[in-house]
Amino acid sequence: MVTTNWNDRFLTTSRGRIVGLLRREGQTVEALARALGLTTNAIRGHLAILERDGMVTAGGRRASGGKPAQVYVLTTAAEARLSRAHAPVLRSLLDELASRTPATELKDVLRSSGRRLASTRAADGAPLEARIAAARSVLASLGGVTEVGHEGGATVLRGLACPLADVVTDHPEVCCGLETLLSDVTGLPVKERCEREGDRPRCRFVVG
């Protein structure tokens, strides 16, 4: 069964076609209009939305026989969003590491990786709510969606969308990296109790 992802669907739209042309080189409004058979006003409207979404930015001007025309280019964030390399590269890397490294050492490597990702930390003495908010924010920055619950007096972060869903079933040890990341960000003990069965793995971290 062939499935289409967000990139495939997006790239068939007018804005996606603009992005496709900008991936090759910077373009002016007039050049985009000619290439796509759209009016310059339609192109400007699409570019305004792409700029708002952080995918396109002004990249200087180009001589056009009259007044220099504004050139638009893709942002690095757009390139990253369009990339399909992350999941297969991560999976391949984990497969290779697992074949060469004892399980305990691999977990240590992933915990060190999580520690590197913890670029911010809740202030010492910050209330629990602020620490939990910091944990949710860092997971959101990685593509995770969470809700807060309470079980047996403990605070639990439950994932609604796992940022590592593509690899976590075959490599559950990656959750150790997120465990360490959240512990460093909150300044509190964190234990991963992730649910990795089925088609949709879900994060579950007990805090405190």
PDB file of all heavy atoms in Angstrom, residues 75-106:
ATOM      1  N   THR A  75      14.150  29.243   3.858  1.00  0.00           N
ATOM      2  CA  THR A  75      14.881  29.298   5.117  1.00  0.00           C
ATOM      3  C   THR A  75      15.473  27.921   5.420  1.00  0.00           C
ATOM      4  O   THR A  75      15.031  26.905   4.868  1.00  0.00           O
ATOM      5  CB  THR A  75      13.956  29.696   6.272  1.00  0.00           C
ATOM      6  OG1 THR A  75      12.945  28.690   6.414  1.00  0.00           O
ATOM      7  CG2 THR A  75      13.296  31.049   6.002  1.00  0.00           C
ATOM      8  N   THR A  76      16.458  27.896   6.293  1.00  0.00           N
ATOM      9  CA  THR A  76      17.017  26.602   6.708  1.00  0.00           C
ATOM     10  C   THR A  76      15.968  25.768   7.446  1.00  0.00           C
ATOM     11  O   THR A  76      15.983  24.537   7.374  1.00  0.00           O
ATOM     12  CB  THR A  76      18.244  26.805   7.609  1.00  0.00           C
ATOM     13  OG1 THR A  76      17.891  27.663   8.713  1.00  0.00           O
ATOM     14  CG2 THR A  76      19.388  27.458   6.836  1.00  0.00           C
ATOM     15  N   ALA A  77      15.046  26.446   8.139  1.00  0.00           N
ATOM     16  CA  ALA A  77      13.980  25.718   8.836  1.00  0.00           C
ATOM     17  C   ALA A  77      13.088  24.991   7.839  1.00  0.00           C
ATOM     18  O   ALA A  77      12.629  23.876   8.095  1.00  0.00           O
ATOM     19  CB  ALA A  77      13.155  26.678   9.684  1.00  0.00           C
ATOM     20  N   ALA A  78      12.833  25.613   6.690  1.00  0.00           N
ATOM     21  CA  ALA A  78      12.008  24.978   5.659  1.00  0.00           C
ATOM     22  C   ALA A  78      12.714  23.759   5.093  1.00  0.00           C
ATOM     23  O   ALA A  78      12.097  22.704   4.883  1.00  0.00           O
ATOM     24  CB  ALA A  78      11.707  25.971   4.546  1.00  0.00           C
ATOM     25  N   GLU A  79      14.012  23.877   4.860  1.00  0.00           N
ATOM     26  CA  GLU A  79      14.770  22.729   4.347  1.00  0.00           C
ATOM     27  C   GLU A  79      14.703  21.561   5.318  1.00  0.00           C
ATOM     28  O   GLU A  79      14.531  20.403   4.916  1.00  0.00           O
ATOM     29  CB  GLU A  79      16.228  23.130   4.094  1.00  0.00           C
ATOM     30  CG  GLU A  79      16.428  24.110   2.945  1.00  0.00           C
ATOM     31  CD  GLU A  79      16.267  23.452   1.574  1.00  0.00           C
ATOM     32  OE1 GLU A  79      15.842  22.282   1.506  1.00  0.00           O
ATOM     33  OE2 GLU A  79      16.561  24.117   0.583  1.00  0.00           O
ATOM     34  N   ALA A  80      14.831  21.866   6.603  1.00  0.00           N
ATOM     35  CA  ALA A  80      14.763  20.803   7.612  1.00  0.00           C
ATOM     36  C   ALA A  80      13.377  20.172   7.645  1.00  0.00           C
ATOM     37  O   ALA A  80      13.230  18.956   7.777  1.00  0.00           O
ATOM     38  CB  ALA A  80      15.127  21.370   8.982  1.00  0.00           C
ATOM     39  N   ARG A  81      12.348  21.010   7.514  1.00  0.00           N
ATOM     40  CA  ARG A  81      10.970  20.505   7.552  1.00  0.00           C
ATOM     41  C   ARG A  81      10.668  19.604   6.359  1.00  0.00           C
ATOM     42  O   ARG A  81       9.918  18.638   6.478  1.00  0.00           O
ATOM     43  CB  ARG A  81      10.002  21.692   7.569  1.00  0.00           C
ATOM     44  CG  ARG A  81       8.547  21.310   7.765  1.00  0.00           C
ATOM     45  CD  ARG A  81       7.689  22.558   7.878  1.00  0.00           C
ATOM     46  NE  ARG A  81       6.293  22.216   8.070  1.00  0.00           N
ATOM     47  CZ  ARG A  81       5.303  23.107   8.115  1.00  0.00           C
ATOM     48  NH1 ARG A  81       5.588  24.391   7.984  1.00  0.00           N
ATOM     49  NH2 ARG A  81       4.064  22.728   8.291  1.00  0.00           N
ATOM     50  N   LEU A  82      11.260  19.895   5.236  1.00  0.00           N
ATOM     51  CA  LEU A  82      11.019  19.126   4.024  1.00  0.00           C
ATOM     52  C   LEU A  82      11.881  17.867   3.936  1.00  0.00           C
ATOM     53  O   LEU A  82      11.624  16.990   3.121  1.00  0.00           O
ATOM     54  CB  LEU A  82      11.276  20.004   2.789  1.00  0.00           C
ATOM     55  CG  LEU A  82      10.291  21.160   2.595  1.00  0.00           C
ATOM     56  CD1 LEU A  82      10.835  22.138   1.564  1.00  0.00           C
ATOM     57  CD2 LEU A  82       8.925  20.644   2.183  1.00  0.00           C
ATOM     58  N   SER A  83      12.906  17.795   4.759  1.00  0.00           N
ATOM     59  CA  SER A  83      13.814  16.654   4.697  1.00  0.00           C
ATOM     60  C   SER A  83      13.120  15.368   5.146  1.00  0.00           C
ATOM     61  O   SER A  83      12.325  15.374   6.082  1.00  0.00           O
ATOM     62  CB  SER A  83      15.034  16.908   5.587  1.00  0.00           C
ATOM     63  OG  SER A  83      15.835  15.743   5.664  1.00  0.00           O
ATOM     64  N   ARG A  84      13.454  14.269   4.470  1.00  0.00           N
ATOM     65  CA  ARG A  84      12.944  12.961   4.856  1.00  0.00           C
ATOM     66  C   ARG A  84      14.074  12.079   5.386  1.00  0.00           C
ATOM     67  O   ARG A  84      13.896  10.873   5.543  1.00  0.00           O
ATOM     68  CB  ARG A  84      12.295  12.283   3.647  1.00  0.00           C
ATOM     69  CG  ARG A  84      11.149  13.081   3.052  1.00  0.00           C
ATOM     70  CD  ARG A  84      10.595  12.400   1.835  1.00  0.00           C
ATOM     71  NE  ARG A  84       9.589  13.236   1.188  1.00  0.00           N
ATOM     72  CZ  ARG A  84       8.934  12.890   0.083  1.00  0.00           C
ATOM     73  NH1 ARG A  84       9.186  11.732  -0.486  1.00  0.00           N
ATOM     74  NH2 ARG A  84       8.030  13.693  -0.442  1.00  0.00           N
ATOM     75  N   ALA A  85      15.215  12.683   5.642  1.00  0.00           N
ATOM     76  CA  ALA A  85      16.395  11.900   6.004  1.00  0.00           C
ATOM     77  C   ALA A  85      16.449  11.533   7.482  1.00  0.00           C
ATOM     78  O   ALA A  85      17.061  10.521   7.847  1.00  0.00           O
ATOM     79  CB  ALA A  85      17.661  12.668   5.632  1.00  0.00           C
ATOM     80  N   HIS A  86      15.808  12.332   8.349  1.00  0.00           N
ATOM     81  CA  HIS A  86      16.042  12.185   9.780  1.00  0.00           C
ATOM     82  C   HIS A  86      15.733  10.786  10.313  1.00  0.00           C
ATOM     83  O   HIS A  86      16.564  10.165  10.978  1.00  0.00           O
ATOM     84  CB  HIS A  86      15.218  13.228  10.549  1.00  0.00           C
ATOM     85  CG  HIS A  86      15.534  14.633  10.160  1.00  0.00           C
ATOM     86  ND1 HIS A  86      14.943  15.254   9.080  1.00  0.00           N
ATOM     87  CD2 HIS A  86      16.394  15.526  10.674  1.00  0.00           C
ATOM     88  CE1 HIS A  86      15.412  16.479   8.956  1.00  0.00           C
ATOM     89  NE2 HIS A  86      16.297  16.675   9.913  1.00  0.00           N
ATOM     90  N   ALA A  87      14.514  10.289  10.037  1.00  0.00           N
ATOM     91  CA  ALA A  87      14.123   8.993  10.602  1.00  0.00           C
ATOM     92  C   ALA A  87      14.979   7.846  10.063  1.00  0.00           C
ATOM     93  O   ALA A  87      15.500   7.050  10.853  1.00  0.00           O
ATOM     94  CB  ALA A  87      12.633   8.731  10.345  1.00  0.00           C
ATOM     95  N   PRO A  88      15.171   7.717   8.722  1.00  0.00           N
ATOM     96  CA  PRO A  88      15.999   6.591   8.255  1.00  0.00           C
ATOM     97  C   PRO A  88      17.453   6.688   8.694  1.00  0.00           C
ATOM     98  O   PRO A  88      18.083   5.665   8.982  1.00  0.00           O
ATOM     99  CB  PRO A  88      15.871   6.650   6.726  1.00  0.00           C
ATOM    100  CG  PRO A  88      15.335   7.987   6.414  1.00  0.00           C
ATOM    101  CD  PRO A  88      14.536   8.417   7.600  1.00  0.00           C
ATOM    102  N   VAL A  89      18.007   7.907   8.762  1.00  0.00           N
ATOM    103  CA  VAL A  89      19.391   8.054   9.210  1.00  0.00           C
ATOM    104  C   VAL A  89      19.509   7.677  10.685  1.00  0.00           C
ATOM    105  O   VAL A  89      20.434   6.965  11.089  1.00  0.00           O
ATOM    106  CB  VAL A  89      19.897   9.487   8.969  1.00  0.00           C
ATOM    107  CG1 VAL A  89      21.230   9.720   9.680  1.00  0.00           C
ATOM    108  CG2 VAL A  89      20.059   9.750   7.470  1.00  0.00           C
ATOM    109  N   LEU A  90      18.556   8.140  11.502  1.00  0.00           N
ATOM    110  CA  LEU A  90      18.579   7.795  12.929  1.00  0.00           C
ATOM    111  C   LEU A  90      18.428   6.293  13.122  1.00  0.00           C
ATOM    112  O   LEU A  90      19.150   5.686  13.930  1.00  0.00           O
ATOM    113  CB  LEU A  90      17.465   8.535  13.666  1.00  0.00           C
ATOM    114  CG  LEU A  90      17.312   8.217  15.156  1.00  0.00           C
ATOM    115  CD1 LEU A  90      18.598   8.527  15.914  1.00  0.00           C
ATOM    116  CD2 LEU A  90      16.126   8.975  15.759  1.00  0.00           C
ATOM    117  N   ARG A  91      17.510   5.683  12.370  1.00  0.00           N
ATOM    118  CA  ARG A  91      17.309   4.241  12.502  1.00  0.00           C
ATOM    119  C   ARG A  91      18.570   3.471  12.107  1.00  0.00           C
ATOM    120  O   ARG A  91      18.988   2.535  12.787  1.00  0.00           O
ATOM    121  CB  ARG A  91      16.133   3.791  11.638  1.00  0.00           C
ATOM    122  CG  ARG A  91      15.757   2.325  11.846  1.00  0.00           C
ATOM    123  CD  ARG A  91      14.602   1.904  10.963  1.00  0.00           C
ATOM    124  NE  ARG A  91      13.402   2.671  11.254  1.00  0.00           N
ATOM    125  CZ  ARG A  91      12.882   3.586  10.436  1.00  0.00           C
ATOM    126  NH1 ARG A  91      13.474   3.851   9.273  1.00  0.00           N
ATOM    127  NH2 ARG A  91      11.791   4.230  10.759  1.00  0.00           N
ATOM    128  N   SER A  92      19.183   3.878  10.999  1.00  0.00           N
ATOM    129  CA  SER A  92      20.401   3.218  10.547  1.00  0.00           C
ATOM    130  C   SER A  92      21.525   3.374  11.565  1.00  0.00           C
ATOM    131  O   SER A  92      22.267   2.428  11.857  1.00  0.00           O
ATOM    132  CB  SER A  92      20.828   3.794   9.196  1.00  0.00           C
ATOM    133  OG  SER A  92      22.036   3.227   8.759  1.00  0.00           O
ATOM    134  N   LEU A  93      21.644   4.585  12.127  1.00  0.00           N
ATOM    135  CA  LEU A  93      22.676   4.833  13.129  1.00  0.00           C
ATOM    136  C   LEU A  93      22.456   3.984  14.368  1.00  0.00           C
ATOM    137  O   LEU A  93      23.393   3.378  14.909  1.00  0.00           O
ATOM    138  CB  LEU A  93      22.677   6.318  13.496  1.00  0.00           C
ATOM    139  CG  LEU A  93      23.656   6.754  14.590  1.00  0.00           C
ATOM    140  CD1 LEU A  93      25.093   6.459  14.175  1.00  0.00           C
ATOM    141  CD2 LEU A  93      23.482   8.245  14.891  1.00  0.00           C
ATOM    142  N   LEU A  94      21.206   3.892  14.826  1.00  0.00           N
ATOM    143  CA  LEU A  94      20.906   3.084  16.007  1.00  0.00           C
ATOM    144  C   LEU A  94      21.145   1.598  15.738  1.00  0.00           C
ATOM    145  O   LEU A  94      21.643   0.875  16.613  1.00  0.00           O
ATOM    146  CB  LEU A  94      19.463   3.320  16.443  1.00  0.00           C
ATOM    147  CG  LEU A  94      19.188   4.672  17.112  1.00  0.00           C
ATOM    148  CD1 LEU A  94      17.691   4.901  17.232  1.00  0.00           C
ATOM    149  CD2 LEU A  94      19.858   4.755  18.470  1.00  0.00           C
ATOM    150  N   ASP A  95      20.783   1.148  14.535  1.00  0.00           N
ATOM    151  CA  ASP A  95      21.048  -0.255  14.180  1.00  0.00           C
ATOM    152  C   ASP A  95      22.544  -0.546  14.255  1.00  0.00           C
ATOM    153  O   ASP A  95      22.966  -1.592  14.783  1.00  0.00           O
ATOM    154  CB  ASP A  95      20.548  -0.541  12.757  1.00  0.00           C
ATOM    155  CG  ASP A  95      19.040  -0.618  12.667  1.00  0.00           C
ATOM    156  OD1 ASP A  95      18.381  -0.736  13.724  1.00  0.00           O
ATOM    157  OD2 ASP A  95      18.507  -0.541  11.538  1.00  0.00           O
ATOM    158  N   GLU A  96      23.341   0.373  13.729  1.00  0.00           N
ATOM    159  CA  GLU A  96      24.789   0.166  13.707  1.00  0.00           C
ATOM    160  C   GLU A  96      25.364   0.200  15.121  1.00  0.00           C
ATOM    161  O   GLU A  96      26.197  -0.642  15.490  1.00  0.00           O
ATOM    162  CB  GLU A  96      25.452   1.235  12.835  1.00  0.00           C
ATOM    163  CG  GLU A  96      26.926   1.008  12.557  1.00  0.00           C
ATOM    164  CD  GLU A  96      27.191  -0.241  11.736  1.00  0.00           C
ATOM    165  OE1 GLU A  96      26.273  -0.710  11.030  1.00  0.00           O
ATOM    166  OE2 GLU A  96      28.325  -0.765  11.832  1.00  0.00           O
ATOM    167  N   LEU A  97      24.914   1.169  15.909  1.00  0.00           N
ATOM    168  CA  LEU A  97      25.400   1.253  17.286  1.00  0.00           C
ATOM    169  C   LEU A  97      25.010   0.011  18.083  1.00  0.00           C
ATOM    170  O   LEU A  97      25.807  -0.518  18.864  1.00  0.00           O
ATOM    171  CB  LEU A  97      24.833   2.503  17.961  1.00  0.00           C
ATOM    172  CG  LEU A  97      25.469   3.838  17.580  1.00  0.00           C
ATOM    173  CD1 LEU A  97      24.667   4.989  18.184  1.00  0.00           C
ATOM    174  CD2 LEU A  97      26.913   3.896  18.063  1.00  0.00           C
ATOM    175  N   ALA A  98      23.778  -0.454  17.886  1.00  0.00           N
ATOM    176  CA  ALA A  98      23.310  -1.628  18.623  1.00  0.00           C
ATOM    177  C   ALA A  98      24.102  -2.877  18.253  1.00  0.00           C
ATOM    178  O   ALA A  98      24.296  -3.765  19.088  1.00  0.00           O
ATOM    179  CB  ALA A  98      21.825  -1.850  18.347  1.00  0.00           C
ATOM    180  N   SER A  99      24.566  -2.947  17.001  1.00  0.00           N
ATOM    181  CA  SER A  99      25.332  -4.115  16.567  1.00  0.00           C
ATOM    182  C   SER A  99      26.761  -4.089  17.086  1.00  0.00           C
ATOM    183  O   SER A  99      27.420  -5.128  17.144  1.00  0.00           O
ATOM    184  CB  SER A  99      25.342  -4.197  15.038  1.00  0.00           C
ATOM    185  OG  SER A  99      26.144  -3.168  14.473  1.00  0.00           O
ATOM    186  N   ARG A 100      27.239  -2.924  17.497  1.00  0.00           N
ATOM    187  CA  ARG A 100      28.632  -2.791  17.927  1.00  0.00           C
ATOM    188  C   ARG A 100      28.795  -2.570  19.432  1.00  0.00           C
ATOM    189  O   ARG A 100      29.887  -2.743  19.967  1.00  0.00           O
ATOM    190  CB  ARG A 100      29.291  -1.601  17.221  1.00  0.00           C
ATOM    191  CG  ARG A 100      29.361  -1.700  15.722  1.00  0.00           C
ATOM    192  CD  ARG A 100      30.164  -0.538  15.187  1.00  0.00           C
ATOM    193  NE  ARG A 100      30.265  -0.545  13.738  1.00  0.00           N
ATOM    194  CZ  ARG A 100      31.215   0.083  13.053  1.00  0.00           C
ATOM    195  NH1 ARG A 100      32.155   0.742  13.699  1.00  0.00           N
ATOM    196  NH2 ARG A 100      31.228   0.042  11.738  1.00  0.00           N
ATOM    197  N   THR A 101      27.706  -2.158  20.087  1.00  0.00           N
ATOM    198  CA  THR A 101      27.816  -1.684  21.465  1.00  0.00           C
ATOM    199  C   THR A 101      26.946  -2.501  22.400  1.00  0.00           C
ATOM    200  O   THR A 101      25.779  -2.759  22.080  1.00  0.00           O
ATOM    201  CB  THR A 101      27.375  -0.204  21.535  1.00  0.00           C
ATOM    202  OG1 THR A 101      28.059   0.549  20.533  1.00  0.00           O
ATOM    203  CG2 THR A 101      27.665   0.392  22.901  1.00  0.00           C
ATOM    204  N   PRO A 102      27.457  -2.896  23.558  1.00  0.00           N
ATOM    205  CA  PRO A 102      26.616  -3.566  24.553  1.00  0.00           C
ATOM    206  C   PRO A 102      25.435  -2.678  24.941  1.00  0.00           C
ATOM    207  O   PRO A 102      25.533  -1.446  24.914  1.00  0.00           O
ATOM    208  CB  PRO A 102      27.563  -3.770  25.743  1.00  0.00           C
ATOM    209  CG  PRO A 102      28.930  -3.764  25.131  1.00  0.00           C
ATOM    210  CD  PRO A 102      28.863  -2.797  23.993  1.00  0.00           C
ATOM    211  N   ALA A 103      24.317  -3.303  25.289  1.00  0.00           N
ATOM    212  CA  ALA A 103      23.088  -2.566  25.568  1.00  0.00           C
ATOM    213  C   ALA A 103      23.276  -1.490  26.637  1.00  0.00           C
ATOM    214  O   ALA A 103      22.763  -0.371  26.509  1.00  0.00           O
ATOM    215  CB  ALA A 103      21.989  -3.543  25.985  1.00  0.00           C
ATOM    216  N   THR A 104      24.033  -1.811  27.700  1.00  0.00           N
ATOM    217  CA  THR A 104      24.222  -0.825  28.768  1.00  0.00           C
ATOM    218  C   THR A 104      25.012   0.381  28.271  1.00  0.00           C
ATOM    219  O   THR A 104      24.717   1.522  28.645  1.00  0.00           O
ATOM    220  CB  THR A 104      24.947  -1.460  29.965  1.00  0.00           C
ATOM    221  OG1 THR A 104      26.176  -2.068  29.516  1.00  0.00           O
ATOM    222  CG2 THR A 104      24.071  -2.520  30.624  1.00  0.00           C
ATOM    223  N   GLU A 105      26.008   0.144  27.425  1.00  0.00           N
ATOM    224  CA  GLU A 105      26.799   1.262  26.895  1.00  0.00           C
ATOM    225  C   GLU A 105      25.973   2.098  25.936  1.00  0.00           C
ATOM    226  O   GLU A 105      26.106   3.333  25.892  1.00  0.00           O
ATOM    227  CB  GLU A 105      28.052   0.731  26.199  1.00  0.00           C
ATOM    228  CG  GLU A 105      29.081   0.145  27.151  1.00  0.00           C
ATOM    229  CD  GLU A 105      30.363  -0.247  26.436  1.00  0.00           C
ATOM    230  OE1 GLU A 105      30.618   0.293  25.331  1.00  0.00           O
ATOM    231  OE2 GLU A 105      31.094  -1.091  26.973  1.00  0.00           O
ATOM    232  N   LEU A 106      25.127   1.441  25.152  1.00  0.00           N
ATOM    233  CA  LEU A 106      24.281   2.186  24.232  1.00  0.00           C
ATOM    234  C   LEU A 106      23.336   3.101  24.993  1.00  0.00           C
ATOM    235  O   LEU A 106      23.124   4.259  24.616  1.00  0.00           O
ATOM    236  CB  LEU A 106      23.483   1.212  23.359  1.00  0.00           C
ATOM    237  CG  LEU A 106      22.519   1.845  22.347  1.00  0.00           C
ATOM    238  CD1 LEU A 106      23.238   2.837  21.445  1.00  0.00           C
ATOM    239  CD2 LEU A 106      21.828   0.768  21.526  1.00  0.00           C
TER     240      LEU A 106
END
